[in-house]
Amino acid sequence: NNCTRLINFTIPSSVSNIGDYAFAYCSSLTGIAITDSVTYIGDTAFIICSNLTSVTMGSNVTYIGWGAFYDCARLTSVVIPNSVSFIGPEAFARCIALANVRIGNGVPVIGQWTFSYCYSLTSIAIPNSVSIIGWNAFYACSNLTSLVVGNGVTNIEPGAVSFCTNLTRIYFAGSAPDVEEPSFFTPPATIYRLPAATGWPPIPNQWEGCPTALWLPEASDEGRLGVQEGQFGFNVTWAAGQTVV
């Protein structure tokens, strides 16, 4: 840690654990490739690597420790593999340039403050494997506009999307979760739920102070709407596993 002139580093395939503070404060490190041999990324392993722009995680990582990438201010995207079963608190907090996040289908919990102060996040999808969205998990993600919540989420802890001041749409793929007040310190976002889901109030009654609506399929453009090359087509955006007639 604190090797401020370290620019590049190759992790050999013999390494299975990256220890606590291993690369902390390596302010010149720009990229890191974590090989498939690595299963464990320790607490604060890459904390305040202020010029780290890219991270590639191998397919066998199971543990991402507390504050592992805390305040990596130039990190723009991250793919959390399906193998991950634990993400520690504040793991990606204050990654202010983080615009793209894909969370693997094996993650059971989004921990406390995990993505807090990630100002560049505009949308994120919580996979069905997640059961708990932790305390202040997305706190002050001020440019987050939409959130998709998987059907496994049963509990949303206080402040999960507090001060997400541009959040206007939250899509729930399952039944209404338990919410520990206060979870929604934000201008009220519209809650979209599926027609057959249970535990929701009748539309248009409010849920946790937010207006509700049915989550219905939408035809999306994405540059492929209409007649092109002798064919007509469009993309349907909706919850996975649903049927559109």
Side-chain angles (χ1 to χ4, degrees):
N1 69 60
N2 206 33
C3 291
T4 59
R5 296 189 181 185
L6 180 66
I7 298 172
N8 297 302
F9 189 86
T10 301
I11 297 174
S13 60
S14 58
V15 171
S16 60
N17 289 5
I18 299 174
D20 298 350
Y21 286 98
F23 294 92
Y25 313 109
C26 291
S27 56
S28 296
L29 190 66
T30 59
I32 194 77
I34 298 171
T35 59
D36 287 344
S37 64
V38 173
T39 61
Y40 181 96
I41 301 173
D43 295 346
T44 61
F46 297 93
I47 189 172
I48 314 182
C49 289
S50 54
N51 279 295
L52 187 67
T53 59
S54 66
V55 172
T56 303
M57 293 190 198
S59 59
N60 292 311
V61 172
T62 61
Y63 184 98
I64 301 174
W66 171 82
F69 297 93
Y70 180 91
D71 204 6
C72 290
R74 294 192 178 185
L75 184 64
T76 58
S77 65
V78 66
V79 176
I80 298 170
N82 295 337
S83 56
V84 171
S85 59
F86 179 84
I87 304 176
E90 297 186 284
F92 298 94
R94 295 192 180 273
C95 291
I96 61 175
L98 188 61
N100 298 293
V101 174
R102 191 171 74 195
I103 302 172
N105 294 324
V107 174
V109 175
I110 307 297
Q112 298 179 3
W113 301 90
T114 299
F115 295 101
S116 58
Y117 302 101
C118 290
Y119 300 135
S120 297
L121 271 182
T122 58
S123 64
I124 195 162
I126 307 297
N128 294 335
S129 60
V130 171
S131 60
I132 298 172
I133 301 176
W135 190 58
N136 289 345
F138 297 96
Y139 184 91
C141 290
S142 55
N143 284 300
L144 188 68
T145 60
S146 68
L147 177 67
V148 177
V149 180
N151 60 26
V153 171
T154 59
N155 187 274
I156 300 177
E157 294 184 349
V161 290
S162 293
F163 299 103
C164 294
T165 51
N166 284 298
L167 184 62
T168 58
R169 305 181 306 279
I170 306 177
Y171 298 90
F172 283 89
S175 301
D178 292 330
V179 173
E180 300 178 29
E181 294 286 0
S183 290
F184 298 98
F185 284 158
T186 186
T190 299
I191 302 296
Y192 292 90
R193 53 92 164 175
L194 294 176
T198 60
W200 299 101
I203 292 171
N205 293 349
Q206 290 194 345
W207 181 78
E208 300 298 333
C210 297
T212 60
L214 282 180
W215 183 1
L216 298 174
E218 299 177 356
S220 60
D221 186 349
E222 297 179 356
R224 293 184 289 274
L225 178 64
V227 178
Q228 295 182 18
E229 299 178 357
Q231 301 181 33
F232 176 80
F234 56 89
N235 290 335
V236 172
T237 303
W238 206 26
Q242 305 302 310
T243 300
V244 178
V245 179

